[in-house]
Amino acid sequence: MEKALQSNPLVEIIANEYKDSENCLYLGRGYNFPVALEGALKLKEISYIHAEGYPAAEMKHGPIALIDEQMPVIVIATNKGHYEKVVSNIQEIKSRKGKIIAIVTEGDEQVKELADHVIEVPETLECLTPLLTTIPLQLLSYHIAVMRGCNVDQPRNLAKSVTVE
């Protein structure tokens, strides 16, 4: 956890580069697909940028048509599970000039060669990777929102509690 938090200065630099984006795509496989959904949700909620989380395995079924030099794509690419398939997804994004922000396992050199930005998280069990990969995504959303002048403590149109009728 501490290593993921130590990435904060780097995440802030990345946020500054993408704070004016209109859209953003998040991709993850296996345990990290829900992390992609959560990352997109947080960016939408507090920065008001249109963001979608998608299973990386299904990237070719729609989202790939949206990828161009204006589209930041956040890929959760830890070295567990479906790593080689995620690398293939990254290559597809790169060939379409998408801007790649990759969350990788510490020491990953393969994705570092392909991505525009790499944020490292420590090595861990595959089932625990979401605990680590979520942190830089939340920091990214936070910094982008603050840079855009959004109130992160009271996002517009969001209820602070759930009401059930």
Side-chain angles (χ1 to χ4, degrees):
M1 295 284 216
E2 189 174 329
K3 167 67 179 172
L5 285 169
Q6 286 174 349
S7 298
N8 190 46
L10 172 62
V11 173
E12 196 168 356
I13 291 166
I14 295 167
N16 190 52
E17 187 166 334
Y18 297 102
K19 70 182 184 302
D20 297 322
S21 298
E22 293 182 23
N23 299 289
C24 193
L25 183 61
Y26 287 71
L27 300 174
R29 283 182 181 251
Y31 286 106
N32 283 305
F33 166 54
V35 176
L37 293 174
E38 178 66 16
L41 177 65
K42 287 299 170 226
L43 187 66
K44 269 188 274 205
E45 284 180 340
I46 65 173
S47 74
Y48 318 129
I49 293 173
H50 175 254
E52 295 297 327
Y54 219 80
E58 297 179 23
M59 182 181 86
K60 292 184 181 182
H61 299 289
I64 200 165
L66 302 173
I67 297 173
D68 61 15
E69 60 278 349
Q70 302 300 312
M71 177 68 79
V73 183
I74 292 92
V75 183
I76 301 144
T78 55
N79 66 1
K80 303 292 183 191
H82 310 280
Y83 179 76
E84 291 304 324
K85 291 179 180 181
V86 173
V87 170
S88 176
N89 292 129
I90 291 171
Q91 290 166 335
E92 293 279 347
I93 296 162
K94 188 172 181 71
S95 72
R96 287 159 179 80
K97 298 183 174 36
K99 301 301 180 195
I100 302 161
I101 303 162
I103 311 297
V104 302
T105 304
E106 198 170 13
D108 184 312
E109 294 298 323
Q110 186 174 4
V111 173
K112 193 178 284 187
E113 292 291 317
L114 298 169
D116 296 281
H117 306 280
V118 170
I119 302 166
E120 295 183 331
V121 295
E123 177 85 31
T124 191
L125 298 171
E126 182 179 8
C127 63
L128 298 179
T129 58
L131 296 174
L132 298 177
T133 56
T134 299
I135 296 168
L137 298 184
Q138 289 179 339
L139 288 170
L140 183 65
S141 296
Y142 170 80
H143 289 302
I144 287 174
V146 169
M147 289 173 186
R148 290 170 64 97
C150 301
N151 183 342
V152 295
D153 293 320
Q154 292 186 320
R156 68 179 182 215
N157 303 328
L158 289 182
K160 284 291 188 178
S161 62
V162 177
T163 306
V164 180
E165 291 185 29

